[in-house]
């Protein structure tokens, strides 16, 4: 179920389908942006003349490479590595690396495409890129992960640089993996170039608040959307899918703001704990011991684990999808709205299908799409780059205030743009248009490149 595109945009979309066959997630991400751009093309015919959209849909550079590594038994494995350097109009390519068995070019391109507009919305000088591998870190030893990361970086390093391309984490890539990759980059290049990766450890160039930033930022965004509606998180029952980096710090900030998270999940099942999730336990299980969320019930007998459960069936007022793409379909969205959900903040990238997005927009709930709501992670990466460039490190309080200011700013810019284009409160339209225009104007200024 999709909206009608005007004739020119439909032509561009058909061309994207033809040129990128089988990359269904990339098609979905492109379509969603194009559906917002009709009125922009009327106001700015120069974008059409200069084929700005066609150029934005074609990555500046795509790198695909072999990643051979050996497991602890000496067996050889081959994975595929990717880095899509999508758009550098606003700054060096910036975006995370995802290690997950489902990774293929279509996933990396959808993420890289969204990253262009997200990074533009942050107001920071960063272009869009994304990378990763079909490597599955689950069940691997530390040494295996290290050998994989070293092999991955042995090819990738030549494409990176603090002024060229600056990766960070995403699914399956956190502080441990960034450490191994940074070590290998430093060894090969003989340069202590802190600004080449973000999400680094605190004692070797990382920034305070970067681990918390995506979850905190998504919560700040929804907090602001609630404030506009003269509402707050106080006393709200919330669902947070996933139990990784983004989920954990979303739960933390919601609890700080007076909300109650009653459920989280992983790819195997759902934990429901009516009296409120025990975040310290989740951190211990996931961040320290790297266990599965099912083990939560060993410590809380009143919590329930539902294998293969659907978290969106639990009644809530606020839902924060923080796991993966297309985790909320049209049916889930209808159920959420029917059960009284008034706000959805996307910590994950593209977690809602087009059918689901339509349900949220029609219901006029406070719906913060990923490229706006989860921009706090990459924004804080840009703050890390800023600290690296000045060889400085800021306090937690100072950095968190900056993050909050950036998220409120993104909210307000998206809201103002949605009003300007006649759909007040439609953050999808606001984010797509606001993010796009800044990139488009820079591309016009730079000439045909
Ligand atoms: P993590 O690897 O820390 O956690 C991912 C979580 O999502 C895990 O609980 C995982 O469960 C679950 N998950 C992953 N893939 C699937 C799947 N195919 N089906 C069901 N559950 C799945 O990653 P992050 O928390 O960093 O990332 C979560 C989301 O947030 C992603 O969409 C990412 O792109 C997005 N994001 C991340 C940012 C960051 O700074 N890290 C910034 C902006 C967005 P399991 O362990 O079972 O796989
Ligand atoms: O999707 C994202 O914005 C991220 N995974 C974070 C990217 C970054 O460079 O911090």
């Amino acid at each position: 179920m999709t909206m009608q595109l005007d004739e020119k945009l439909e032509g561009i979309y058909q061309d994207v389908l033809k040129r990128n066959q089988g990359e269904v997630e990339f098609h979905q991400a492109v379509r969603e942006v194009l559906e917002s751009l009709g009125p922009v093309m009327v106001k700015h015919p120069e974008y059409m003349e200069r084929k700005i959209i066609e150029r934005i849909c074609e990555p500046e550079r795509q790198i695909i490479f072999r990643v051979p590594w050996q497991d602890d038994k000496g067996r050889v494995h081959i994975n595929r590595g990717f880095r899509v350097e999508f758009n550098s109009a606003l700054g060096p390519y910036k975006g995370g690396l995802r290690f997950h068995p489902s990774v293929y070019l279509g996933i990396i391109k959808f993420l890289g495409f969204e990253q262009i507009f997200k990074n533009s919305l942050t107001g920071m000088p960063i272009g869009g890129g994304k990378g990763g591998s079909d490597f599955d870190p689950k069940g691997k030893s530390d040494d295996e992960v290290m050998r994989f990361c070293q092999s991955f970086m042995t090819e990738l390093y030549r494409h990176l640089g603090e002024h060229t391309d600056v990766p960070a984490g995403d699914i399956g890539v956190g502080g441990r993996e960034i450490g191994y990759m940074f070590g290998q980059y430093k060894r090969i290049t003989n340069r202590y170039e802190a600004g080449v990766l973000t999400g680094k450890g605190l004692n070797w160039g990382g920034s305070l608040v970067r681990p918390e930033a995506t979850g905190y930022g998504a919560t700040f965004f929804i907090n602001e959307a609630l404030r506009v509606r003269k509402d707050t998180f106080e006393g709200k029952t919330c669902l947070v899918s996933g139990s990784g980096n983004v989920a954990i710090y979303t739960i933390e900030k919601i609890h700080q703001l007076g909300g109650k998270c009653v459920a989280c999940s992983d790819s195997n099942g759902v934990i429901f704990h009516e009296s409120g999730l025990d975040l310290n336990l989740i951190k211990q299980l996931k961040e320290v011991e790297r266990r599965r969320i099912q083990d939560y019930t060993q410590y809380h007998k009143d919590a329930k684990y539902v294998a293969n459960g659907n978290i969106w069936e639990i009644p809530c007022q606020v839902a924060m999808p923080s796991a993966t793409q297309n985790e909320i379909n049209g049916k889930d969205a209808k159920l959420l709205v029917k059960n009284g959900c008034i706000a959805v903040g996307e910590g994950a990238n593209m977690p809602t299908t087009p059918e689901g997005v339509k349900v949220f927009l029609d219901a006029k709930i406070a719906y913060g799409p990923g490229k706006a709501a989860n921009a706090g992670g990459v924004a804080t990466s840009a703050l890390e780059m800023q600290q690296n460039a000045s060889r400085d490190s800021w306090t937690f309080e100072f950095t968190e205030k900056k993050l909050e200011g950036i998220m409120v700013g993104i909210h307000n810019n998206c809201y103002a743009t949605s009003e300007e284009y006649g759909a007040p409160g439609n953050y999808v339209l606001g984010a797509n248009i606001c993010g796009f225009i800044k990139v488009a104007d820079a591309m016009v200024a730079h000439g045909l490149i």
Side-chain angles (χ1 to χ4, degrees):
M1 192 199 325
T2 45
M3 256 174 59
Q4 199 72 357
L5 287 175
D6 84 25
E7 207 180 317
K8 278 188 189 146
L9 291 172
E10 182 62 39
I12 294 173
Y13 180 66
Q14 288 305 324
D15 214 39
V16 166
L17 293 184
K18 233 177 20 226
R19 292 167 67 83
N20 304 278
Q21 289 182 25
E23 298 173 4
V24 290
E25 295 84 1
F26 178 53
H27 303 162
Q28 183 183 336
V30 169
R31 171 112 203 162
E32 193 217 273
V33 171
L34 296 193
E35 284 181 358
S36 299
L37 293 185
V40 180
M41 294 306 128
V42 177
K43 267 198 187 177
H44 295 272
E46 74 274 17
Y47 296 160
M48 270 301 181
E49 274 159 38
R50 289 163 209 252
K51 300 216 165 169
I52 295 294
I53 302 182
E54 291 91 326
R55 281 154 65 193
I56 282 187
C57 290
E58 185 70 18
E60 289 176 16
R61 190 177 298 104
Q62 309 185 53
I63 302 145
I64 304 183
F65 51 101
R66 179 169 70 203
V67 190
W69 59 280
Q70 270 181 305
D71 66 23
D72 290 341
K73 297 208 165 96
R75 287 179 303 223
V76 172
H77 298 266
I78 313 292
N79 285 100
R80 189 170 288 175
F82 300 89
R83 187 73 183 167
V84 174
E85 298 180 334
F86 228 116
N87 192 293
S88 61
L90 298 181
Y93 310 108
K94 182 83 197 86
L97 297 170
R98 176 177 292 191
F99 293 170
H100 192 274
S102 63
V103 163
Y104 77 107
L105 189 58
I107 296 270
I108 301 300
K109 278 167 71 178
F110 115 66
L111 290 163
F113 184 75
E114 293 251 298
Q115 201 82 45
I116 303 169
F117 309 104
K118 182 197 303 192
N119 293 4
S120 163
L121 285 170
T122 66
M124 322 284 292
I126 41 181
K130 200 85 188 190
S133 174
D134 57 1
F135 173 72
D136 185 359
K138 263 191 219 115
K140 304 291 189 297
S141 70
D142 263 10
D143 283 349
E144 288 172 333
V145 169
M146 179 182 76
R147 286 193 293 272
F148 175 81
C149 288
Q150 290 176 339
S151 181
F152 185 83
M153 190 50 92
T154 301
E155 170 57 34
L156 190 62
Y157 87 94
R158 71 190 79 247
H159 305 288
L160 307 183
E162 61 178 327
H163 301 296
T164 306
D165 186 352
V166 182
D170 193 80
I171 290 175
V173 177
R176 174 181 62 171
E177 292 73 19
I178 295 293
Y180 294 145
M181 287 190 272
F182 184 73
Q184 186 72 349
Y185 183 86
K186 180 166 69 68
R187 187 177 192 193
I188 297 175
T189 59
N190 194 30
R191 281 165 62 85
Y192 204 109
E193 190 184 333
V196 75
L197 286 170
T198 62
K200 297 181 294 296
L202 289 179
N203 51 353
W204 45 276
S207 173
L208 285 162
V209 193
R210 179 62 189 89
E212 294 85 355
T214 309
Y216 278 22
T219 311
F220 287 141
F221 185 97
I222 291 302
N223 194 42
E224 198 54 26
L226 290 171
R227 206 180 60 75
V228 168
R229 292 156 181 254
K230 308 203 176 343
D231 204 345
T232 69
F233 265 105
E234 197 63 50
K236 297 258 182 323
T237 298
C238 309
L239 306 178
V240 180
S241 65
S243 49
N245 172 265
V246 177
I248 287 173
Y249 293 98
T250 299
I251 296 168
E252 182 159 289
K253 185 50 76 180
I254 289 177
H255 284 176
Q256 286 173 14
L257 295 176
K260 183 173 78 166
C261 299
V262 297
C264 66
S265 62
D266 63 18
S267 58
N268 296 122
V270 176
I271 288 289
F272 176 57
H273 197 178
E274 201 166 10
S275 57
L277 291 171
D278 174 354
L279 186 61
N280 286 333
L281 174 61
I282 296 175
K283 284 185 180 175
Q284 180 66 27
L285 289 173
K286 299 302 302 179
E287 293 185 330
V288 182
E289 299 175 23
R290 296 183 185 275
R291 288 162 65 181
R292 306 298 297 160
I293 201 63
Q294 172 171 18
D295 294 351
Y296 186 98
T297 52
Q298 292 173 13
Y299 305 87
H300 286 287
K301 297 297 172 205
D302 58 330
K304 226 172 72 188
Y305 176 71
V306 186
N308 304 314
N310 181 358
I311 191 171
W312 313 121
E313 289 172 359
I314 302 168
C316 73
Q317 287 143 312
V318 181
M320 306 285 285
S322 309
T324 193
Q325 63 277 353
N326 293 326
E327 54 171 312
I328 299 182
N329 62 27
K331 223 171 112 213
D332 300 327
K334 276 190 199 139
L335 196 56
L336 280 165
V337 171
K338 181 169 152 254
N339 286 339
C341 181
I342 55 156
V344 174
E346 296 186 338
N349 285 305
M350 206 168 76
T352 310
T353 64
E355 294 76 14
V357 172
K358 187 168 182 314
V359 171
F360 293 148
L361 292 178
D362 288 348
K364 294 199 183 310
I365 65 167
Y367 169 55
K371 61 172 81 67
N374 73 37
V378 76
T380 308
S381 278
L383 299 178
E384 183 172 330
M385 292 162 75
Q386 220 174 311
Q387 291 169 79
N388 294 151
S390 56
R391 302 183 186 278
D392 198 359
S393 50
W394 305 337
T395 64
F396 192 95
E397 292 68 27
F398 179 80
T399 315
E400 189 186 11
K401 269 283 157 240
K402 281 216 168 227
L403 167 64
E404 186 173 6
I406 290 167
M407 294 315 297
V408 170
I410 292 173
H411 171 277
N412 293 344
N413 286 338
C414 292
Y415 197 91
T417 307
S418 72
E419 277 185 320
E420 186 189 335
Y421 282 84
N426 182 336
Y427 297 111
V428 174
L429 195 84
N432 286 337
I433 294 179
C434 187
F436 172 82
I437 285 180
K438 196 170 167 202
V439 179
D441 286 344
M443 289 175 71
V444 171
H446 294 166
L448 184 56
I449 54 170

